Amino acid sequence: MEHKNEQTFREKYRREWLYFIFGFGTTFVSWSSYALFVGLMNMPVAWGNILSWICAVLFAFFTNKLLVFESKSFAWSVVIPEFTVFIGTRLLTGVLEMVAVPFLVQIGFSYALFGARGMWAKIAVSVFNVVLNYILSKKYVFKDRN
């Protein structure tokens, strides 16, 4: 009986778990590309942040579309609206990140990690954005179109 309840729990929250897992992947792409651009390539924080955001958004779209929300269609009538709304919602949270990370660094939350100044600010903003992006993706991007 417990096994059935456990399986039901897993099935019930399958999408959230997959989002969580691929959210880590997206976050890894964001943070590692930020560390690469700012730490290794010595780019300014703002430019490294923008480029890492682009890398992460592209990774997130395909993993969310195919694996989390299981939107398998690549018909233009499906992909274009999904991608457009996805980009729109990510621009919203991206603007939040573009403003918040440099702002936090400027007010003193500029601690380095992996040799990249402001990495802790990047982490704090990322955690908030992961939750907000899930809500926006579920409600507006990959909603059932039936």
Side-chain angles (χ1 to χ4, degrees):
M1 189 92 163
E2 279 185 55
H3 179 68
K4 184 178 180 188
N5 289 339
E6 182 180 319
Q7 187 175 13
T8 304
F9 179 81
R10 273 186 278 174
E11 288 174 2
K12 184 176 180 181
Y13 296 105
R14 180 182 177 279
R15 183 175 287 168
E16 287 80 5
W17 280 109
L18 286 172
Y19 188 84
F20 181 72
I21 291 165
F22 289 109
F24 269 117
T26 300
T27 302
F28 176 77
V29 168
S30 177
W31 293 354
S32 61
S33 61
Y34 178 85
L36 172 73
F37 296 136
V38 175
L40 293 177
M41 298 175 69
N42 204 27
M43 282 186 184
V45 167
W47 280 108
N49 201 41
I50 289 168
L51 292 175
S52 73
W53 179 83
I54 291 169
C55 293
V57 166
L58 291 174
F59 178 83
F61 176 75
F62 289 105
T63 57
N64 279 271
K65 176 176 178 46
L66 297 172
L67 304 170
V68 176
F69 296 101
E70 298 179 347
S71 176
K72 305 289 186 192
S73 176
F74 277 92
W76 288 111
S77 61
V78 174
V79 173
I80 296 299
E82 285 176 345
F83 190 70
T84 302
V85 176
F86 188 84
I87 293 299
T89 61
R90 296 302 166 116
L91 280 172
L92 176 68
T93 59
V95 166
L96 172 65
E97 186 170 331
M98 298 308 138
V99 171
V101 172
F103 174 75
L104 290 173
V105 169
Q106 185 178 7
I107 65 168
F109 201 59
S110 60
Y111 308 106
L113 183 65
F114 309 122
R117 186 173 63 91
M119 195 68 188
W120 284 108
K122 178 85 170 165
I123 290 169
V125 174
S126 294
V127 169
F128 178 81
N129 275 350
V130 165
V131 174
L132 184 56
N133 282 328
Y134 175 77
I135 293 166
L136 294 172
S137 288
K138 184 175 179 179
K139 288 183 144 293
Y140 301 108
V141 180
F142 300 109
K143 61 186 176 185
D144 292 329
R145 301 199 189 285
N146 298 331

